[in-house]
Amino acid sequence: MSSLRVIPVVLLLAACSPAPSEAPAVIRPVKAVVVTAEPLDRVSQYAGEVRARHEISLAFRVGGKITERQAEIGQQVATDQVLMQLDSGDLALNEQALRAQLTAAQSDRDQARAKFNRAKVLLARNLISRNDFDTLQGAYDTAQARVQQAESQLSGGARQTGYAQLRTDQVGVVTALHAEVGQVVAAGQPVLSLALPGEKEVAISVPENRRDELRIGEEVQISLWSAPGQTYRGQVREIAPLADPLTRTYAVKITLTEPDAAVQLGMTASVRASRRLAAPVIRLPLTALIEHEGQPAVWVVDPETRKVIRRTVHLGEFHGDQVIIASGLAPGQQVVTAGVHKLYPDQPVRVLDQTP
């Protein structure tokens, strides 16, 4: 009987209790950007090296063993300066042999000439037959031709001896050494590289998948690691038609249009090229994208309610860490770029770095 009296009291107390209020919505802090339509520019950057536009390789005209080297990398060389020396012993012996052959040929010629002169006197007195005279004249002509041949051979031998010294006929800077003292080199084998004064250029390598980013005649910007903040103008001069068989990259040469004294050979350079790809388009960072029912979407902040609205979008091309929004957004809308995976429709948000 007592338990039946407790139940109405409990019900009465419950009826008098206030109704529980709903929990306030959580305001989520997010990062957002205002959508704008801007032209799409593709910026490419490559590392390269400053080189001389004209660079030649020097080599000995004869083979032999290098006995002396007077050139160093980076050295300024003048015209007719001796850079390397070969062992000229064998060449000197060959020159001596050719000189002896010339002396013997001259002696034979002098003897044949004396016989020919006597034959002319005897022929005038009819003391020698015409046939014998012609024979002596032919012997003299042959001896004279042999002297001329020996003189030519000696001249060539003397030049060969002079080729034991490697001299330059142009002013330049030594950029590379391909042989050292004690090494035996063949005729025509490059032993030294010489950069000629004049135009300077930057050599870069472009991967296969980025070869279309540059065009011959295109203007680019060049900066040097040794001179931060200073930029130079450049122009693409040459693009290799074939890729390097080892690196599979294309060699590109860029002419420096107005280099100053700070630009030195061998310096590290950075080449920056920019090209307009499309008319004004909307771009967003990849962090702004979410997936809803298999379609890409973004969160748009309502400027009046400060709540987020899920908006399906259609994507265009990807460029690095950004993507082109083909449709679904309009300039001026505010899109969440960070914290997108913790949001739900109509959730109030507070955009960071802005007044709530």
Side-chain angles (χ1 to χ4, degrees):
M1 187 69 180
S2 59
S3 59
L4 294 177
R5 294 176 181 176
V6 173
I7 294 175
V9 174
V10 174
L11 294 177
L12 180 61
L13 292 176
C16 296
S17 302
S21 60
E22 296 182 358
V26 177
I27 300 178
R28 179 76 63 182
V30 296
K31 290 185 178 181
V33 296
V34 178
V35 173
T36 58
E38 298 177 350
L40 179 60
D41 295 331
R42 180 170 62 187
V43 178
S44 307
Q45 196 159 353
Y46 307 92
E49 178 186 2
V50 178
R51 297 181 182 176
R53 176 172 181 176
H54 302 287
E55 187 171 341
I56 59 176
S57 297
L58 302 182
F60 288 100
R61 297 190 183 185
V62 295
K65 182 179 180 180
I66 300 177
T67 58
E68 186 178 354
R69 175 172 65 82
Q70 302 177 10
E72 298 292 343
I73 295 180
Q75 176 183 348
Q76 293 276 350
V77 297
T79 304
D80 202 37
Q81 180 177 343
V82 178
L83 303 179
M84 286 188 180
Q85 173 74 47
L86 289 179
D87 182 5
S88 59
D90 295 339
L91 298 175
L93 291 175
N94 181 62
E95 182 180 354
Q96 292 178 7
L98 295 175
R99 195 176 300 277
Q101 290 179 7
L102 175 61
T103 301
Q106 290 173 340
S107 177
D108 293 341
R109 180 202 57 189
D110 294 343
Q111 186 177 4
R113 181 170 54 190
K115 291 181 180 181
F116 175 63
N117 290 336
R118 287 194 299 269
K120 287 192 294 184
V121 176
L122 294 175
L123 181 65
R125 298 178 181 180
N126 292 323
L127 298 177
I128 189 175
S129 65
R130 186 70 188 185
N131 184 44
D132 292 340
F133 175 80
D134 292 341
T135 300
L136 293 174
Q137 184 180 10
Y140 170 67
D141 293 340
T142 301
Q144 179 65 26
R146 287 176 179 172
V147 170
Q148 295 176 353
Q149 180 183 14
E151 288 176 345
S152 298
Q153 291 177 345
L154 178 59
S155 177
R159 291 169 64 90
Q160 294 285 319
T161 304
Y163 292 156
Q165 287 185 331
L166 180 63
R167 298 175 179 267
T168 173
D169 57 355
Q170 300 187 68
V171 177
V173 178
V174 179
T175 58
L177 297 172
H178 309 296
E180 288 293 342
V181 175
Q183 183 175 344
V184 177
V185 296
Q189 176 181 344
V191 296
L192 184 146
S193 295
L194 188 68
L196 304 183
E199 295 184 17
K200 296 178 181 178
E201 61 185 18
V202 176
I204 63 175
S205 297
V206 179
E208 295 181 13
N209 61 338
R210 301 176 63 184
R211 187 177 182 274
D212 61 341
E213 294 181 2
L214 296 174
R215 296 286 186 272
I216 294 179
E218 182 178 355
E219 297 287 339
V220 298
Q221 291 184 341
I222 300 173
S223 59
L224 301 178
W225 186 53
S226 61
Q230 178 69 23
T231 59
Y232 301 88
R233 291 188 303 167
Q235 187 176 34
V236 179
R237 180 179 67 85
E238 177 184 312
I239 300 177
L242 297 177
D244 185 275
L246 298 179
T247 62
R248 304 309 305 169
T249 58
Y250 289 85
V252 177
K253 297 179 180 178
I254 301 171
T255 301
L256 282 157
T257 54
E258 296 178 355
D260 54 22
V263 182
Q264 299 294 326
L265 299 179
M267 284 186 170
T268 302
S270 177
V271 177
R272 186 177 184 272
S274 178
R275 181 184 302 173
R276 181 64 50 85
L277 297 182
V281 293
I282 295 176
R283 286 179 293 171
L284 288 178
L286 298 179
T287 56
L289 297 179
I290 60 174
E291 184 179 356
H292 177 65
E293 296 181 354
Q295 299 293 328
V298 296
W299 292 109
V300 177
V301 180
D302 190 321
E304 296 181 358
T305 63
R306 311 295 292 175
K307 296 181 180 181
V308 292
I309 303 171
R310 187 165 47 215
R311 185 71 55 82
T312 302
V313 295
H314 294 87
L315 304 182
E317 296 181 356
F318 289 81
H319 294 274
D321 60 349
Q322 293 187 329
V323 61
I324 295 177
I325 304 301
S327 62
L329 292 178
Q333 292 181 316
Q334 196 173 35
V335 177
V336 178
T337 59
V340 294
H341 298 291
K342 297 182 179 180
L343 301 178
Y344 56 85
D346 294 330
Q347 180 180 7
V349 296
R350 178 174 59 87
V351 179
L352 297 179
D353 301 330
Q354 294 188 15
T355 302

